[in-house]
Amino acid sequence: MRSGGDDRSGIERVFWQTPKAGDISRLEQKSAPLGALPADRVRVDVRAIGLNFADIFALTGLYSATPTGAFIPGLEFSGTVSECGADTSGFAPGDRVMGVTRFGGYASVIDSEPDTLIPLPHGWDFTRGAAWPAQTLTAWYALTRLGALRPGQQVLVHSAAGGVGLQAMKLARALGGEPVGTVGNRDKVSALSEQGFDRVLVREKDFARQLRREGLRFDLVLDAIGGAVQQASFDALKPMGRLVVFGAAEFTPTGRRPNYLRAAWRYLRRPRYDVMDMISSNRSVLAFNLIWLWEQKAEMRALLAELQAVPLAPPLVGHRFPFGDVHAALALLRSGRSVGKVVLEYGIRDLS
Ligand SMILES: NC(=O)c1ccc[n+]([C@@H]2O[C@H](COP(=O)([O-])OP(=O)(O)OC[C@H]3O[C@@H](n4cnc5c(N)ncnc54)[C@H](OP(=O)(O)O)[C@@H]3O)[C@@H](O)[C@H]2O)c1
């Protein structure tokens, strides 16, 4: 599909597209001729794509930011710059880059805004690059902008072996915090221990009782699960503690389409917080959706610049799939059993 040399006429762009959110199985591989590059964009030949839990929610229509009608999912990628628009600066053909995109990521070629691209760190392969931007931005925003983490503080990180979770554990430690992770499955404990984290709880059915038994209290909790886990975590906050919420994995559809009855039941039973109680107990709840950052160019640039200055080990890529195996990759992520990042690689069996 992709030719070598400078002549790019006749090149096809390959992508995964769904005609409409609602049923994950309707995601289909398609191709179309590559159009001319807009003057304000940088063209990237994609080599790897990072999968995010948000992709599953977008495909099943449970994500408020999902585009209406047909769309290409995907929020982050890495690859090589092939062409730079006349009005862009800072990049040149051949540069190895990683970047974020507001949907459109599951594609062999991406015409990116230069502001949302950063150079791939020296020595990183493309899968690590694709595993880095969205989860690291999420963890950093939660810990610094909302969490206001200070050295010595105890941080509870849910789904600590996942994409965002593992980056949050590393960043919390880099900021001087003391992270305690939770996982839903005992199999994930060793992966965290290999990454240098030994304070890990395998969540029990009665998580509130487990926290009381362990005598754990926290200054900060990062939660993207919701429900009883979230309520118990809030109850375990110390005075001045912050609960930062950025997802609701408990709503994950178990089939290819959401079970709206089950979702409605969970929604009705979701935790609710009383601001008067928050005043008297000195604890607070904060929440965010990073998709908002796409409209805030200056804030996005500032966050990416901050992150490039944080000395961090490369992200853990737990699972690699060829571009054509997107359904298997999404099924693994949705199962809740993945460790580290799930990545699609373009170019293994996809070039012809
Ligand atoms: N608001 C934002 O801007 C933003 C940005 C990025 C990500 N997020 C959210 O952050 C969370 C992590 O994202 P990620 O892409 O890094 O995913 P991930 O953590 O790699 O995978 C999701 C994890 O959720 C946990 N989980 C809990 N209940 C589950 C259920 N019923 N079904 C399946 N999994 C369940 C599982 O880990 P354990 O069982 O070990 O807990 C699973 O591995 C997601 O909820 C995502 O929506 C939010």
Side-chain angles (χ1 to χ4, degrees):
M1 296 281 181
R2 188 188 282 162
S3 71
D6 291 326
D7 180 11
R8 296 174 65 78
S9 59
I11 296 179
E12 293 272 298
R13 176 174 176 261
V14 187
F15 50 92
W16 283 98
Q17 188 180 53
T18 186
K20 191 171 179 287
D23 184 340
I24 228 165
S25 67
R26 295 184 74 190
L27 187 64
E28 276 182 2
Q29 191 167 322
K30 294 183 177 289
S31 65
L34 203 52
L37 176 67
D40 62 346
R41 299 286 167 130
V42 170
R43 181 159 284 174
V44 179
D45 281 348
V46 171
R47 295 293 303 279
I49 298 147
L51 264 56
N52 285 279
F53 226 64
D55 302 348
I56 293 159
F57 280 80
L59 284 164
T60 48
L62 289 175
Y63 186 35
S64 57
T66 308
T68 45
F71 72 98
I72 301 171
L75 305 173
E76 61 189 334
F77 60 92
S78 65
T80 307
V81 172
S82 64
E83 198 181 342
C84 298
D87 298 344
T88 65
S89 60
F91 293 98
D95 285 352
R96 287 154 49 92
V97 293
M98 52 192 186
V100 284
T101 173
R102 188 177 169 141
F103 301 100
Y106 290 13
S108 62
V109 177
I110 293 175
D111 292 343
S112 174
E113 293 177 40
D115 277 351
T116 55
L117 287 179
I118 51 176
L120 195 66
H122 184 69
W124 285 24
D125 68 7
F126 287 110
T127 61
R128 285 172 163 177
W132 191 87
Q135 63 188 32
T136 316
L137 272 171
T138 305
W140 183 253
Y141 190 85
L143 289 165
T144 62
R145 292 295 198 276
L146 301 189
L149 179 64
R150 292 201 304 276
Q153 292 195 326
Q154 307 280 318
V155 192
L156 183 67
V157 177
H158 287 304
S159 305
V164 175
L166 200 42
Q167 286 306 91
M169 295 290 280
K170 291 182 189 173
L171 286 169
R173 187 173 277 171
L175 290 163
E178 294 172 12
V180 175
T182 83
V183 289
N185 187 307
R186 187 160 295 284
D187 298 347
K188 298 181 180 183
V189 174
S190 57
L192 276 161
S193 155
E194 280 161 24
Q195 297 287 313
F197 298 106
D198 293 321
R199 297 184 71 196
V200 179
L201 301 173
V202 182
R203 291 188 310 274
E204 295 171 4
K205 199 167 163 35
D206 190 341
F207 184 58
R209 196 169 68 174
Q210 184 180 11
L211 285 178
R212 282 195 300 273
R213 190 184 69 226
E214 300 283 338
L216 289 168
R217 305 290 304 280
F218 302 98
D219 301 288
L220 176 62
V221 174
L222 303 193
D223 175 58
I225 297 179
V229 168
Q230 184 191 100
Q231 181 68 64
S233 308
F234 178 79
D235 293 341
L237 283 175
K238 299 176 192 172
M240 291 179 70
R242 287 88 59 204
L243 165 66
V244 177
V245 180
F246 52 97
E250 68 150 359
F251 287 99
T252 308
T254 47
R256 61 196 172 94
R257 279 189 290 225
N259 177 339
Y260 290 107
L261 212 60
R262 179 172 163 266
W265 173 246
R266 296 220 156 156
Y267 185 75
L268 286 172
R269 290 170 54 94
R270 71 194 185 280
R272 292 157 198 246
Y273 302 97
D274 180 344
V275 287
M276 299 309 288
D277 169 61
M278 287 191 220
I279 294 171
S280 53
S281 66
N282 266 301
R283 300 175 299 180
S284 53
V285 180
L286 303 103
F288 70 96
N289 186 349
L290 217 62
I291 208 95
W292 166 86
L293 270 185
W294 266 255
E295 319 300 326
Q296 317 296 322
K297 306 279 180 218
E299 183 72 17
M300 173 72 100
R301 271 197 305 272
L303 281 162
L304 286 171
E306 274 171 39
L307 275 173
Q308 285 177 83
V310 179
L312 261 196
L316 174 71
V317 177
H319 314 271
R320 299 159 184 242
F321 289 83
F323 185 73
D325 288 351
V326 72
H327 283 287
L330 285 167
L332 173 67
L333 183 61
R334 192 176 59 163
S335 73
R337 301 191 77 86
S338 58
V339 169
K341 190 76 174 180
V342 182
V343 170
L344 295 179
E345 288 182 273
Y346 187 79
I348 300 179
R349 299 198 305 245
D350 310 288
L351 293 172
S352 59

